[in-house]
């Protein structure tokens, strides 16, 4: 099929120095200062710059968790070469729109100010290196999401540019995303009519599972669904979805087969414990279905292909499921393989293209 | 019928005094430590107490047996979720766990032969937990060991294996039980605001614990190990097993000792108590479910009973008695 929208593409800088050129004035100033003071800024970035939570090593199944054939000839990592990305993804699969989710750790910097500077750099880099030369690609507003003030400032700085189609946060945060400290980010997202994407990964300083540190990468990745579930629970029970009716979320790389069972438990618990969360007036699963979209990759298949239609009927999110490949990662899902190609044509058209076109208002993006 | 999940509740640690060495009675008296506080069942939450359970907790033996042994119920598996896992003094935690087990044996199991016991252990100190299991099983009336589903580390970690080995050696099932107070946030994204969130998200703790145990290879080491997911619900089981099987197919080189899809191990080694029933219309597979009332906790309109009524005779017989009789070795 043609005209596909891919809601999860991962660009990478060719080298760690690339982003330096895009650092905002304050930090660039420090680098200039470093010419006079003994290399303070270079030292910060090289010796101290990317300081995040430590102590959770789960080696991936492939180098940089990437497809073996996605290493470009430019000496950089997978996802760092526009030519190869066009060849392997946009042209190969006739993708009209691709949503980039740069996973460069900016949101989980312990030094929040530095995290903000890094987001600033990443956003300018997306624009200059990716979306300007390749209009099929769209950017995410990277924000230092643990600091709402810095995040709002960054949204305001770039969101009017239609190259940006969503605000990006990570799934494992310091606090559940419904907590009040994050609300200014949502207000800004609503103001600019941008969905907030919650992407697989990140680290807010808590163990990767609610029962502590697991042993294996397979558990680390398995338990990400639990983090997504906790975020949805928080967004519903804190009343965020009701408080901001224009607010929309996208779950990226969350998997989706856990959702129907989760909805049953969520609604049942809301009825049982309603006194405590009396401010939540609408059935939780209805709120999620109205305001949350979910991407397809990795498609954690609900049994044999014959059960697919039954599963989607149970999910009840036909207009909220968005196709994604996760290029260039090891578990890339091509539009031409996998169980989604077996969907009926109507559903397939919605998932592969129409839902995302509406969700991101591609081709119809006058702000305000 | 066998009721696989009923509760003795301690609200006054004074009941344990006869079962504590003098040192610990003094320790608690001097510090005015009234025993661990645990908010897994907030006193006024709708899920904590049945509307007809007036004046409780505490629950007396008579109150409990009058409420539980109605109709065809002829046996019940009793546990006490006393939060020894939150006590960081290992000697105090050990003393409290052993005291609770003696109290259960003397004042509950010894009073009514229809009650079968659950050993309370200190998961944070596995070596002590092994001794707690050995001491309690001398009594002959305990049929399972309980581990709170929230823990400092996932239970598949080798440090916990001696607990499972001791349980298997004694022929006891191991229940992963709703709740726990290890001091960590109940989600991997921090502390939620509402109990309602904790309640929903507890299902995730069950999932990561079961994933940890199956991926650790423990079931290959202890082929006779029987687990119970107590008060876990079952709504999440299909999604969890699809996701885990799929990841295992893609990543199994990391865990080569897991030679079959994880769902196959779980089907063989895990059963689920019926309450709180949270499944959608299709419901769980009857072979996997142990009837339970979860007395004195409450689950609102009884979807579980409705599901039971929808089963055929053999399904009902399995849920109401057969599954638990086999799993716990409870004779007729």
């Amino acid at each position: 099929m043609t005209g596909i929208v891919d809601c999860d593409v991962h660009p990478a800088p060719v080298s760690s120095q690339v982003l330096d050129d895009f650092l905002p004035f304050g930090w660039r100033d420090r680098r200039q200062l470093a010419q006079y003071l003994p290399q303070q800024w270079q030292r910060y970035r090289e010796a101290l710059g990317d300081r995040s939570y430590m102590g959770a090593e789960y080696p991936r199944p492939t180098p940089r968790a990437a497809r073996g054939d996605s290493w470009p000839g430019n000496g950089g990592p997978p996802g760092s070469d526009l030519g190869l990305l066009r060849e392997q993804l946009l042209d190969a699969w006739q993708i009209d729109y691709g949503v980039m989710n740069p996973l460069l750790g900016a949101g989980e910097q312990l030094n929040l100010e530095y995290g903000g500077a890094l987001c600033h750099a990443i956003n300018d880099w997306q624009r200059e290196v990716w979306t300007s030369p390749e209009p099929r690609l769209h950017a995410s507003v990277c924000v230092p999401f643990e600091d709402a003030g810095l995040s709002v400032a960054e949204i305001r700085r770039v969101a009017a540019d239609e190259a940006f189609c969503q605000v990006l946060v990570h799934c494992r945060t310091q606090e559940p995303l419904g907590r009040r400290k994050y609300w200014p980010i949502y207000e800004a997202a609503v103001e600019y009519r941008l969905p907030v994407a919650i992407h697989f990964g990140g680290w807010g300083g808590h163990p990767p599972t609610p029962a502590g540190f697991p042993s294996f990468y397979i558990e680390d990745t398995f338990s990400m669904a639990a983090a997504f579930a906790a975020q949805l629970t928080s967004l519903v029970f804190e009343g965020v979805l009701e408080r901001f009716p224009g607010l929309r979320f996208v779950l990226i790389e969350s998997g989706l087969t856990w959702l129907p069972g989760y909805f049953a438990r969520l609604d049942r618990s809301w009825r049982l414990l309603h006194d405590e969360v009396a401010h939540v007036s609408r059935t939780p699963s209805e709120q999620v279905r109205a305001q949350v979209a979910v991407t397809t990759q990795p498609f954690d298949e609900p049994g044999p292909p014959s059960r697919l239609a039954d599963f989607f009927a149970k999910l009840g999110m036909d207009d909220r499921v968005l196709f994604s490949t996760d290029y260039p990662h090891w578990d890339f899902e091509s539009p031409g393989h996998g169980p989604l190609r077996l969907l009926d044509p109507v559903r397939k058209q919605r998932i592969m293209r129409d839902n995302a076109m509406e969700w991101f208002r591609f081709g119809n993006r006058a702000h305000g | 019928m066998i009721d696989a999940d009923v509760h003795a509740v301690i609200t006054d640690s004074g009941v344990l005094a006869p079962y504590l060495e003098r040192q610990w009675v003094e320790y608690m008296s001097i510090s005015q430590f009234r025993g661990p506080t645990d908010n897994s069942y907030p006193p006024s939450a709708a899920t904590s107490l049945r509307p007809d359970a007036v004046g409780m907790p505490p629950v007396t033996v008579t109150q409990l047996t009058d409420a539980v042994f109605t109709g065809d119920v002829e046996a019940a598996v009793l546990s006490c979720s006393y939060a020894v896992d939150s006590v960081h003094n290992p000697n105090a935690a050990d003393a409290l766990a052993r005291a609770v087990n003696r109290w259960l044996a003397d004042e509950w199991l010894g009073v009514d032969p229809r009650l079968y016991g659950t050993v309370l252990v200190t998961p944070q100190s596995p070596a002590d937990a092994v001794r707690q299991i050995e001491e309690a099983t001398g009594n002959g009336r305990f049929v399972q060991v309980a581990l709170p589903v929230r823990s400092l580390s996932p239970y598949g970690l080798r440090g916990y294996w001696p607990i499972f080995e001791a349980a298997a050696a004694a022929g006891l099932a191991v229940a992963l039980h709703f709740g726990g107070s290890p001091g960590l946030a109940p989600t991997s994204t921090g502390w939620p605001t509402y109990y309602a969130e904790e309640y929903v998200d507890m299902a995730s703790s069950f999932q990561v614990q079961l994933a940890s145990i199956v991926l650790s290879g423990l079931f290959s080491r202890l082929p006779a190990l029987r687990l119970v997911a107590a008060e876990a619900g079952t709504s999440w089981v299909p999604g969890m097993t699809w996701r885990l099987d799929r990841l295992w197919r893609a990543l199994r080189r990391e865990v080569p000792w897991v030679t079959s899809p994880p769902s196959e191990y779980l089907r063989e080694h895990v059963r689920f108590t019926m309450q709180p029933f949270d499944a959608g219309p299709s419901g769980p597979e009857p072979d996997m479910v142990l009837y339970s009332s979860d007395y004195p906790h409450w689950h609102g309109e009884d979807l579980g009973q409705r599901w039971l009524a929808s089963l055929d005779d053999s399904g009902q017989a399995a849920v109401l008695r057969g599954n638990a009789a086999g799993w716990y070795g409870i004779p007729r």
Side-chain angles (χ1 to χ4, degrees):
Chain A
M1 102 171 254
T2 59
I4 290 167
V5 181
D6 178 355
C7 295
D8 191 26
V9 182
H10 298 293
V14 178
S15 77
S16 66
Q17 274 76 50
V18 165
L19 286 176
D20 287 353
D21 295 338
F22 294 93
L23 283 166
F25 179 76
W27 291 87
R28 205 176 287 161
D29 190 47
R30 284 191 209 186
R31 189 169 52 169
Q32 286 166 354
L33 274 180
Q35 293 169 2
Y36 301 93
L37 303 169
Q39 303 209 324
Q40 177 182 343
W41 162 232
Q42 278 95 338
R43 282 222 320 275
Y44 189 94
R45 184 160 163 75
E46 285 165 19
L48 301 165
D50 284 341
R51 283 180 59 250
S52 186
Y53 304 96
M54 298 296 289
E57 296 294 353
Y58 295 101
R60 302 296 191 261
T62 62
R64 288 184 75 103
R67 268 167 58 166
D69 65 350
S70 66
W71 289 83
N74 63 7
S80 67
D81 183 83
L82 178 56
L84 188 62
L85 187 139
R86 280 178 176 139
E87 180 192 323
Q88 291 190 324
L89 183 68
L90 303 177
D91 297 340
W93 298 106
Q94 294 177 288
I95 286 168
D96 277 2
Y97 294 85
V99 178
M100 296 191 298
N101 294 298
L103 306 178
L104 302 172
E108 55 201 62
Q109 291 302 311
L110 297 176
N111 180 334
L112 292 169
E113 198 188 347
Y114 172 67
L118 208 48
C119 287
H120 184 297
I122 291 166
N123 292 334
D124 285 356
W125 164 78
Q126 288 184 85
R127 203 154 36 182
E128 291 185 33
V129 174
W130 298 94
T131 63
S132 293
E134 178 46 87
R136 282 177 291 184
L137 291 174
H138 283 70
S140 293
V141 185
C142 292
V143 292
F145 44 83
E146 300 300 354
D147 186 301
L150 291 171
S151 297
V152 169
E154 185 60 15
I155 293 169
R156 293 197 182 290
R157 190 179 74 84
V158 300
D161 183 338
E162 292 191 8
F164 292 90
C165 68
Q166 64 185 7
V167 174
L168 177 64
V169 304
H170 276 181
C171 180
R172 287 183 182 144
T173 44
Q174 275 178 0
E175 294 183 34
L177 280 169
R179 300 271 290 178
R180 285 167 190 258
K181 70 173 254 195
Y182 301 107
W183 290 7
I185 298 175
Y186 305 145
E187 284 164 8
V190 170
E191 185 185 335
Y192 287 96
R193 301 181 69 185
L194 296 176
V196 176
I198 307 174
H199 193 283
F200 179 103
W203 195 7
H206 303 283
T209 88
F213 286 86
S215 304
F216 308 113
Y217 171 66
I218 184 172
E219 291 172 86
D220 178 40
T221 186
F222 169 74
S223 63
M224 202 66 71
F228 277 103
Q231 299 292 22
L232 286 183
T233 311
S234 173
L235 291 170
V236 168
F237 283 148
E238 294 275 2
V240 167
L241 296 181
E242 278 182 307
R243 184 177 298 264
F244 302 105
L247 182 60
R248 295 167 300 143
F249 288 91
V250 192
L251 311 185
I252 305 180
E253 287 185 45
S254 59
L256 35 77
T257 53
W258 54 274
L259 279 163
Y262 169 77
F263 285 155
R265 183 175 180 86
L266 181 68
D267 289 351
R268 172 109 175 102
S269 305
W270 170 70
R271 285 191 198 99
L272 276 173
L273 293 162
H274 190 257
D275 284 355
E276 190 198 17
V277 286
H279 54 275
V280 181
S281 64
R282 281 167 48 225
T283 306
S285 64
E286 283 174 21
Q287 295 189 36
V288 174
R289 287 186 173 110
Q291 286 173 259
V292 180
V294 56
T295 60
T296 53
Q297 185 284 339
F299 191 67
D300 34 10
E301 295 158 54
S306 56
R307 303 247 298 264
L308 213 53
D310 181 47
F311 168 77
F312 276 103
K314 265 197 194 123
L315 181 64
M317 294 178 76
D318 272 358
D319 52 356
R320 292 288 182 269
V321 178
L322 315 178
F323 175 73
S324 62
T325 65
D326 195 22
Y327 181 86
H329 289 153
W330 66 275
D331 44 355
F332 171 84
E333 264 167 22
S334 97
H337 303 88
L340 290 174
R341 77 186 196 287
L342 304 171
L343 288 171
D344 64 274
V346 174
R347 199 171 255 143
K348 191 168 166 184
Q349 175 70 23
R350 292 213 63 85
I351 290 174
M352 304 300 282
R353 179 181 172 95
D354 295 353
N355 289 343
M357 292 300 288
E358 289 164 18
W359 198 251
F360 294 109
R361 298 182 298 126
F362 284 136
N364 179 30
R365 303 257 329 282
H367 285 295
Chain B
M1 285 169 63
I2 296 172
D3 187 337
D5 186 40
V6 304
H7 298 283
V9 182
I10 295 173
T11 53
D12 174 4
S13 59
V15 303
L16 297 178
Y19 305 96
L20 286 165
E21 292 86 349
R22 184 186 173 82
Q23 170 196 0
W24 298 111
V25 175
E26 279 179 15
Y27 175 84
M28 294 178 77
S29 153
I30 290 167
S31 61
Q32 294 201 344
F33 177 60
R34 294 190 170 83
T37 47
D38 175 16
N39 214 20
S40 296
Y41 302 97
S44 299
T47 45
S48 296
L49 214 52
R50 292 171 20 155
D52 63 345
V54 182
M56 298 195 310
V59 185
T60 66
V61 180
T62 315
Q63 275 175 318
L64 180 132
T65 53
D66 283 355
V68 167
F69 294 117
T70 57
D72 295 330
V73 178
E74 70 214 30
V77 179
L78 177 73
S79 64
C80 176
S81 302
Y82 202 52
V84 293
D85 57 322
S86 70
V87 177
H88 291 270
N89 175 332
N91 300 312
D94 178 48
L96 286 168
R98 284 163 44 229
V100 169
N101 292 329
R102 290 178 199 152
W103 171 76
L104 274 179
D106 277 16
E107 301 192 19
W108 297 79
L109 312 181
V111 171
D112 193 316
R114 294 171 297 181
L115 293 173
Y116 292 84
T118 299
V119 185
L120 180 72
V121 297
T122 53
Q124 71 272 38
S125 304
D128 291 340
V130 168
R131 282 191 296 275
Q132 290 148 14
I133 293 167
E134 288 166 356
E135 183 178 302
T137 48
N139 169 291
R141 297 290 305 289
F142 286 88
V143 293
Q144 78 178 348
V145 173
L147 296 172
V149 74
R150 288 179 50 204
S151 59
L152 275 179
S153 294
Y155 287 128
L157 263 62
R158 282 160 199 249
Y160 292 116
W161 286 11
I163 301 177
F164 295 99
E165 287 164 351
L172 307 183
V174 178
L176 300 177
H177 197 284
F178 182 96
S181 298
L184 293 181
T187 85
S188 54
T189 69
W191 292 87
T193 304
Y194 299 105
Y195 175 68
E197 295 174 70
E198 221 178 290
Y199 187 87
V200 172
D201 295 339
M202 199 73 74
S204 296
S205 294
F206 281 97
Q207 295 176 57
V208 302
Q209 293 287 15
L210 290 176
S212 168
I213 291 168
V214 69
L215 296 172
S216 75
L218 183 61
F219 289 132
S220 303
R221 189 182 175 92
L222 298 173
L225 182 61
R226 303 184 309 277
L227 299 185
V228 176
E231 297 172 39
T234 58
S235 59
W236 45 271
V237 174
M240 176 212 170
T241 48
W242 289 326
R243 180 175 175 85
L244 192 56
D245 281 359
R246 156 103 186 201
L247 284 169
W248 171 79
R249 284 199 294 276
L251 297 167
R252 63 177 185 257
R253 270 183 306 179
E254 193 188 20
V255 287
W257 47 86
V258 181
T259 51
S260 306
S263 62
E264 290 183 17
Y265 293 91
L266 296 175
R267 168 174 296 279
E268 191 183 335
H269 290 278
V270 186
R271 296 295 178 267
F272 302 82
T273 67
M274 189 179 84
Q275 294 287 18
F277 192 88
D278 64 359
S282 46
E285 292 170 44
D287 288 350
M288 304 296 285
V289 178
L290 314 177
Y291 168 78
S292 69
S293 67
D294 191 20
Y295 180 86
H297 307 142
W298 177 247
H299 310 290
E301 51 160 338
D302 211 332
L303 299 181
Q305 291 291 352
R306 216 183 300 164
W307 169 74
L308 252 180
S310 75
L311 300 178
D312 62 23
D313 286 352
S314 73
Q316 286 186 6
V319 173
L320 292 174
R321 189 194 151 82
N323 296 343
W327 214 243
Y328 292 121
I330 292 177
R332 187 171 281 279

